[in-house]
Amino acid sequence: MKGVNTLKLVIGCDHGALELKDAVKKVLAEFEDIQVEDMGTYTAASVDYPDIAEKVCAEITSGRAERGIVLCGTGLGISIAANKLPGIRAALCHDVFSARMSREHNDANVLAMGGRVIGFGPAGEIVRTWVTTDFSQDERHQRRIDKMMALADK
Ligand code: RB5
């Protein structure tokens, strides 16, 4: 299946979402024009979600990747951590509508989900929606995004 554009995407999880990461990678493999890099974690050993958020988001901040998917037990800790990093707009989405809006209105460059919250089926639909939805380019949404990002400098 073709996505909207060729997309360089990084993915990472803590121990709370190891199986969800594998399920999401299978969904991403449906898209021949999405290049996926897995930043770990790779085992069930406990890791700290801020470290994973930092690794994934560094790829985006540096320009090596365009978008990321971050996963932890709830999606909460890793999305909060990701949103501390410059240029990151991480959206915690456990439904398809939010996933679509996070792209159309917020131009989210990171999707977060929780491995202990959502099943693989719904998560797959969220991912398919999120990777194939573009930012609307609407002037009012861009203005709000610019204001939102400027909050980091206050
Ligand atoms: C780890 O046990 C858990 O706290 C983490 O995966 C996440 O849910 C934090 O928000």
Side-chain angles (χ1 to χ4, degrees):
M1 196 194 301
K2 288 240 174 219
V4 172
N5 291 304
T6 300
L7 186 65
K8 281 190 182 170
L9 189 145
V10 271
I11 188 167
C13 71
D14 77 356
H15 53 284
L18 202 55
E19 291 87 1
L20 180 59
K21 174 160 65 81
D22 287 342
V24 168
K25 282 170 68 180
K26 280 191 191 125
V27 170
L28 292 170
E30 295 168 8
F31 297 85
E32 62 192 41
D33 47 4
I34 297 181
Q35 219 180 291
V36 181
E37 193 174 351
D38 184 348
M39 309 297 293
T41 190
Y42 308 107
T43 73
S46 180
V47 290
D48 295 339
Y49 57 79
D51 298 336
I52 304 295
E54 190 176 1
K55 262 194 195 175
V56 168
C57 294
E59 295 301 300
I60 299 169
T61 306
S62 67
R64 288 189 293 271
E66 294 153 79
R67 288 204 238 159
I69 297 180
V70 292
L71 311 165
C72 68
T74 58
L76 290 167
I78 205 155
S79 60
I80 294 168
N83 277 314
K84 300 277 181 200
L85 295 159
I88 299 300
R89 290 180 297 280
L92 174 60
C93 299
H94 287 130
D95 66 90
V96 168
F97 179 75
S98 300
R100 183 156 61 82
M101 287 300 113
S102 80
R103 292 289 309 136
E104 285 184 1
H105 288 195
N106 313 116
D107 198 14
N109 51 9
V110 172
L111 169 68
M113 291 187 293
R116 296 172 183 152
V117 177
I118 193 155
F120 297 164
E125 285 305 300
I126 287 165
V127 169
R128 287 184 190 96
T129 300
W130 194 76
V131 297
T132 54
T133 304
D134 275 340
F135 176 52
S136 69
Q137 306 284 349
D138 187 292
E139 185 276 328
R140 73 186 193 284
H141 294 311
Q142 187 59 60
R143 180 181 68 244
R144 290 163 189 162
I145 290 167
D146 292 344
K147 284 187 178 183
M148 171 167 66
M149 299 317 278
L151 292 175
D153 303 323
K154 293 204 172 182

